[in-house]
Amino acid sequence: MSNENTATPTTARTAGPLDVERLVQELTLEEKASLTSGLDFWHTQPVERAGAEVPAVMVTDGPHGLRKQSGASDHLGLANSVPATCFPTAAALGSTWNVDLLDRVGKALGRETRANDVAVLLGPGINIKRSPLCGRNFEYFSEDPVVSGDLGAALIRGIQSQGVGTSLKHFAANNQETDRMRVSADVDERTLREIYLTGFERAVKKASPWTVMCSYNKINGTYASQDHWLLTEVLRDEWGYDGVVVSDWGAVSDRVAALAAGLDLEMPATGGRTDAQVVAAVRAGELDEAILDQAVRRHLTLLNRALPALAEPGAFDVAEHHALAREAAAEGAVLLRNEPVDGTPVLPLDPAAAASLAVVGEFARSPRYQGAGSSQVQPTRLDDALTEIRAITGTEVPFAAGFGITAETSAADDALRAEAVELARGAETVVLFLGLPASHESEGFDRDDMDLPANQVALLEAVAAVCSRVVVVLANGSAVTIAPWQHHTAAILEGWLGGQAGGGAVADLLFGVRNPSGKLTETVPLRLEDNASYGNFPGEFGHVRYGEGVLVGYRYYDAKRMDVAFPFGHGLSYTTFAYEDLSVTVSGEGPTASLTVDVTVTNTGAVAGAEVVQVYVGDPQAAVERPERELKAFGKVELAPGGTRTLSFELDARDLSYWHPVLRRWVVEGGEFVVSVGASSRDLRGSAAVTVVGEDITPPLTPSSTLSEALAHPVAGEIIRTAMAQTDGTSAMPLDEGMLALAGDMPLRVIAAFDGMLFDEAQLDRLLAASGAA
Ligand code: BGC
C-alpha cells in the first residue's frame, strides 16, 4: 500500500503561537473537521485562509529511529526513508533496564526528529508481550507493565525534551499481529487494568506524551478507536491526559463514532471523505460541535508545542549517535549463560588468544539488527560483528557462514555446514552467530513456533561435536527456544535486534571491553506450550480470549511452579554482586500506605559492572487470586570492584493494590505483604514480610449476595447473627458451621424465597437497607 506525495507541504515557520481559542471560534465547520484528519500519509492538514492560517506538520515512525519518507509513502516500511540512526529495538532497549540511558537515546531520537522537520515521532510502543510469538514483540519492551511503562516514559521524556512529540502506542490490548485490524481482545477489566493498561498509565502520568495512538483491534467487541471508555473515561478523566489521541494508520472504522469517543486525529488521509461525514453529523445534530471543537483545540495545542522546534531544526552528530547506539546495544544484550570450561567461565574471551578463534554463522557478517514493518529505518551506518571482532583482536579471525538465511542460500546448507565444521575443528573457541531470519518475525504476522531454524540447530550440533568451547550469539526480536540445544554451548549472549551498532556492541561484550548488564524483560520458557497464552493465541473467528487473566509471563510460570529456561529478570555479568541489609518500612494506611525499601548492593568481583536490582511484591492473603510476586520497582547501579551503594525505593499504595472487580477501583487490602529484592524473579536475595493496614473493601450487598458475604458484612452480618441467636430452636436452619457449609453460597434472595428459612423478603429488604445497599 503506497502512494506518491507529489506536493509535500512545507511546514510553516510561524513567528508566534497560534491563538487557539480565536481559531476555534473563527474556523468554519469544514475547516475544523479537516484539522482532525490527515492531509496525506504523514502530514496533518493546514488551513490556508488569510487570518486563520494553521500550518501542516509532519509525523513519522518510529520507535527506535526516524523513518521519514520524502517520496513514496507507506505504513509498512516498504518505501525508502532518509538515513537515520537505527538504535537498538525496544527488545534490546528494554533489557537495559536503564531509564537514564533511555532518556539519552530519546534525546538523540528527538534531535534527529527535529533536524528533519518532523513534529512527532510515532513511538514508543509499549504493548505487553503476551506471547513470544507476537511478530512485533521486538518493538515492545516487556511482558511486565512496570518495565514497559517506566522505560517508555524515559524514552518519551528524552524525545520530548528536544521540542518534538511522541506517540505512545498502541492503545490498547494490541498483543498480536494476526487479524490485528479486526480481532477483539476479550479480556476482563481487572486483567486489563493490572496488566495491559498499567504501562500506558505510568507512561502517561510520568511523561505526558504529546500524542497517544489508539490500536487497530477491538477490546471486548469495541474498536479501540471508538471506545469512549478507553479514550475518554480512562485515559482523560481518570489519568488526566490532555494531549491528542491519533488513530493507528487506518484504525478508524466509523469516524463520527471515533470523534465522539475521544479520537482527535484520523491518520492517514481519507481524501476528505470522512471529514464530510463529520460535517454532516454536526449539521444533522448527531455530533455535538463542542466535541469537534475540543479535538481542534487539542490539535492546535499540539501545533503550538511543535512550532518552536520546527522553526529551529538544528542538526545532529551522526558519529555521536552511532556511538550511543553501540553503548545502548551493549547494555541491552543479555548474557544468558557462561559456563566454566577448564575451571574458568568461557567469556570474556582474551583478544590476545584470537589465533585460536573461529567465527561461524551468516549473521556475523550480515547482521539482523532491526525488524520489518513501520519501524524499519535506513541506518546511517551498519556495523557487523565479524569486522568488529577483527578490529578488537587485530587478527583476521577466520569465518564460515555455516547456513543460509534466504531460500537460495539455504539450498547450500550441507556444504556450508561441512565447511564450518572443518573450520571449527581447528579452533579452540567458536563464536557462533544464530538467530531468526527476517522472514520469521515482522510487523503484520506472528510466528508459528519459537524455534530457531532447523539448519542452524543442526549446525550448532555439528560444531559442538568438534569443539568444546562454543559461544552462541543470538539475534532475534523475541524469545526463542533455547533449552533443547543449550547444553551444546559454553556461553549464550542474547543480542536481540541491536540496531546499526549491534555488531560492535557484541564484539565489546565478547572481549570484555564492556561488561554485560542486560537482563531479560521476558521469560524464556522451556517450550512454547508452557506459555500462559498457549491455547488462547491468536484466537479464532475474530476473537482472542485472554483466558490466563493476570497470570501473564513470569506471573504464570511462578503460579504454576514451572521450570523455565531463563527467568524474567535474569542476566549474568563478568562480576558478582552481593545484596545486604534489606529493610522495609511501612507508613500510612489504606490509600495512603507506602513502603520504603532499602537494600545495599556490593560489587564482589574483580571488574566494574552494573546490576539491575529488582523489587517484587506479593500479597499472599488477598481476597482475589494475585500473582505470587510482581515487579514494582527497579534500579540500575554501576559499581567498581568492591564498590557499595544503598538503593532506596518508594512504593506507593498503588504498588500494593489490585483492581477490585466489584468495586471497580484500586484497593489496598490489609494484611501481610512480602517484599523481595533480587537479581532476577527467581534469584531473590532478600525478603521481608510487612503488615499493611488496608481500607474497607466490603462490596455493597445486593439480593444476589450470598449468605457468607452477608455474614462477612460488618452491619448485615451482625444483624443476621443477632437474629439467629434469638431463634426459639424451631428454625429449619440453625446457624452453625454445618449449615454454613451447605447454605453459605446461597444468594439472599433464594433464602428469602424459601418459607421459614432465616428471613422472608420483607426482612431481606430491611437487611439490605440497614447495610447501606442502594
Ligand atoms: C503501525 C504503527 C505505525 C503506523 C504508521 C501502522 O501500521 O501499526 O505502529 O506508527 O503504521 O506507519
Side-chain angles (χ1 to χ4, degrees):
M1 200 200 287
S2 79
N3 75 328
E4 285 291 333
N5 282 335
T6 37
T8 301
T10 47
T11 308
R13 309 243 192 265
T14 59
L18 304 168
D19 184 341
V20 174
E21 287 311 320
R22 183 182 68 76
L23 283 166
V24 170
Q25 294 309 314
E26 292 179 8
L27 290 168
T28 65
L29 177 58
E30 286 76 6
E31 287 166 343
K32 288 191 290 189
S34 77
L35 289 178
T36 62
S37 77
L39 174 70
D40 55 25
F41 238 86
W42 303 120
H43 291 86
T44 61
Q45 299 206 48
V47 173
E48 282 159 346
R49 178 162 59 84
E53 288 93 348
V54 177
V57 295
M58 187 176 202
V59 302
T60 77
D61 287 304
H64 53 263
L66 186 79
R67 185 173 68 99
K68 179 182 175 179
Q69 296 178 317
S70 39
S73 306
D74 66 87
H75 64 303
L76 300 172
L78 303 174
N80 241 337
S81 52
V82 301
T85 310
C86 180
F87 287 97
T89 59
L93 287 179
S95 303
T96 69
W97 297 65
N98 187 336
V99 288
D100 297 329
L101 179 64
L102 264 77
D103 181 80
R104 284 168 56 215
V105 170
K107 287 193 169 93
L109 286 167
R111 275 192 293 274
E112 297 197 17
T113 306
R114 180 173 181 153
N116 279 285
D117 296 319
V118 172
V120 174
L121 188 69
L122 301 175
I126 64 161
N127 295 90
I128 292 291
K129 301 187 198 208
R130 175 173 176 251
S131 162
L133 300 183
C134 173
R136 242 180 144 172
N137 273 358
F138 71 90
E139 278 190 70
Y140 303 142
F141 291 114
S142 179
E143 67 189 23
D144 179 90
V146 169
V147 186
S148 305
D150 289 7
L151 294 182
L155 207 65
I156 293 168
R157 277 193 300 263
I159 295 170
Q160 293 189 170
S161 71
Q162 302 307 301
V164 297
T166 56
S167 201
L168 181 64
K169 66 190 187 183
H170 308 86
F171 191 55
N174 174 193
N175 309 99
Q176 64 188 55
E177 291 300 283
T178 307
D179 205 12
R180 67 170 167 159
M181 300 188 90
R182 190 187 56 167
V183 74
S184 173
D186 294 340
V187 49
D188 65 272
E189 186 176 12
R190 180 174 161 223
T191 301
L192 254 184
R193 296 279 190 167
E194 292 188 17
I195 304 292
Y196 296 99
L197 297 185
T198 289
F200 285 97
E201 181 179 1
R202 287 178 90 94
V204 162
K205 288 182 173 169
K206 289 183 179 204
S208 303
W210 291 6
T211 79
V212 168
M213 186 190 292
C214 82
S215 56
Y216 285 126
N217 54 288
K218 301 183 193 114
I219 301 171
N220 296 322
T222 302
Y223 278 110
S225 60
Q226 288 167 216
D227 193 333
H228 186 269
W229 172 79
L230 183 73
L231 302 185
T232 297
E233 289 162 49
V234 173
L235 178 63
R236 296 191 187 285
D237 300 347
E238 285 184 32
W239 301 350
Y241 181 63
D242 67 354
V244 163
V245 177
V246 57
S247 72
D248 198 345
W249 267 231
V252 173
S253 160
D254 176 334
R255 172 79 182 286
V256 174
L259 198 60
L263 184 109
D264 306 303
L265 179 62
E266 175 180 27
M267 289 299 286
T270 61
R273 185 178 53 82
T274 55
D275 293 351
Q277 292 169 358
V278 171
V279 170
V282 172
R283 294 236 159 89
E286 288 157 10
L287 179 72
D288 186 350
E289 193 168 354
I291 291 175
L292 176 62
D293 287 353
Q294 186 56 22
V296 170
R297 207 172 270 123
R298 292 187 192 120
H299 179 67
L300 296 173
T301 306
L302 173 71
L303 297 183
N304 273 342
R305 287 173 159 164
L307 289 174
L310 289 168
E312 276 179 67
F316 68 94
D317 185 329
V318 171
E320 201 180 282
H321 285 192
H322 186 75
L324 177 59
R326 183 171 180 145
E327 179 189 342
E331 267 216 44
V334 182
L335 181 60
L336 294 175
R337 173 180 165 90
N338 192 14
E339 292 297 301
V341 179
D342 304 328
T344 328
V346 73
L347 292 180
L349 301 173
D350 179 359
S356 60
L357 191 67
V359 172
V360 174
E362 183 58 51
F363 292 118
R365 68 171 175 192
S366 313
R368 173 122 199 279
Y369 61 101
Q370 66 172 331
S374 61
S375 67
Q376 190 167 328
V377 304
Q378 191 187 322
T380 57
R381 298 180 185 177
L382 183 57
D383 290 349
D384 66 82
L386 182 59
T387 308
E388 299 300 320
I389 287 172
R390 288 174 173 166
I392 286 182
T393 57
T395 311
E396 212 36 33
V397 177
F399 167 77
F403 57 87
I405 50 176
T406 62
E408 300 85 69
T409 51
S410 297
D413 267 351
D414 290 347
L416 293 173
R417 183 157 62 243
E419 181 201 1
V421 170
E422 275 327 296
L423 178 62
R425 202 185 298 280
E428 197 180 310
T429 305
V430 172
V431 182
L432 180 52
F433 287 79
L434 305 178
L436 293 177
S439 56
H440 283 228
E441 56 181 351
S442 166
E443 176 176 347
F445 61 87
D446 298 315
R447 280 188 285 166
D448 294 328
D449 59 56
M450 275 181 67
D451 301 333
L452 285 181
N455 60 349
Q456 296 187 32
V457 178
L459 172 69
L460 167 62
E461 285 166 358
V463 166
V466 299
C467 177
S468 60
R469 293 162 61 99
V470 179
V471 174
V472 165
V473 178
L474 288 172
N476 46 289
S478 191
V480 292
T481 28
I482 294 178
W485 50 259
Q486 68 164 326
H487 57 282
H488 292 302
T489 70
I492 305 173
L493 180 65
E494 173 58 88
W496 303 116
L497 304 181
Q500 67 179 46
V506 163
D508 289 345
L509 295 169
L510 290 174
F511 293 97
V513 177
R514 290 178 198 267
N515 188 350
S517 65
K519 301 236 186 187
L520 291 176
T521 57
E522 59 185 296
T523 310
V524 183
L526 290 176
R527 57 188 83 78
L528 172 65
E529 292 81 354
D530 290 351
N531 180 257
S533 72
Y534 192 79
N536 277 323
F537 182 96
E540 56 260 316
F541 302 117
H543 287 267
V544 53
R545 202 167 64 85
Y546 285 33
E548 69 283 5
V550 297
L551 298 180
V552 174
Y554 65 91
R555 291 163 167 82
Y556 179 78
Y557 303 113
D558 287 351
K560 301 285 263 191
R561 302 276 182 270
M562 269 184 195
D563 284 339
V564 299
F566 298 100
F568 176 84
H570 169 77
L572 303 173
S573 164
Y574 297 150
T575 188
T576 47
F577 298 95
Y579 289 59
E580 288 162 310
D581 301 334
L582 170 66
S583 92
V584 183
T585 32
V586 183
S587 359
E589 56 185 58
T592 65
S594 65
L595 303 183
T596 305
V597 181
D598 292 322
V599 65
T600 302
V601 181
T602 305
N603 180 346
T604 47
V607 291
E611 173 69 327
V612 176
V613 178
Q614 302 157 42
V615 180
Y616 295 89
V617 174
D619 179 10
Q621 296 170 342
V624 297
E625 215 170 293
R626 299 192 73 179
E628 184 167 0
R629 72 183 68 88
E630 299 183 276
L631 184 85
K632 294 298 172 186
F634 58 90
K636 193 160 191 175
V637 56
E638 215 167 321
L639 293 168
T644 262
R645 181 99 51 87
T646 298
L647 281 83
S648 190
F649 302 92
E650 294 295 328
L651 306 187
D652 62 15
R654 176 63 184 276
D655 296 318
L656 305 174
S657 303
Y658 61 84
W659 180 263
H660 197 295
V662 176
L663 299 178
R664 297 196 63 211
R665 63 177 170 84
W666 295 101
V667 298
V668 177
E669 185 179 333
E672 186 184 282
F673 287 80
V674 179
V675 179
S676 314
V677 292
S680 92
S681 62
R682 293 205 172 170
D683 181 10
L684 303 175
R685 306 290 185 86
S687 271
V690 291
T691 300
V692 174
V693 178
E695 60 195 285
D696 180 14
I697 55 164
T698 321
L701 287 186
T702 70
S704 291
S705 300
T706 63
L707 179 59
S708 299
E709 286 164 357
L711 284 165
H713 190 279
V715 179
E718 201 44 45
I719 295 173
I720 296 174
R721 264 184 290 273
T722 311
M724 293 311 298
Q726 289 164 359
T727 61
D728 55 9
T730 59
S731 167
M733 292 296 264
L735 183 64
D736 58 23
E737 290 290 316
M739 184 278 253
L740 264 184
L742 288 172
D745 282 352
M746 282 177 81
L748 301 179
R749 62 180 165 72
V750 176
I751 294 175
F754 277 112
D755 217 11
M757 193 174 175
L758 284 182
F759 42 75
D760 59 22
E761 277 163 4
Q763 286 168 316
L764 174 58
D765 286 345
R766 285 200 294 280
L767 181 74
L768 293 178
S771 67

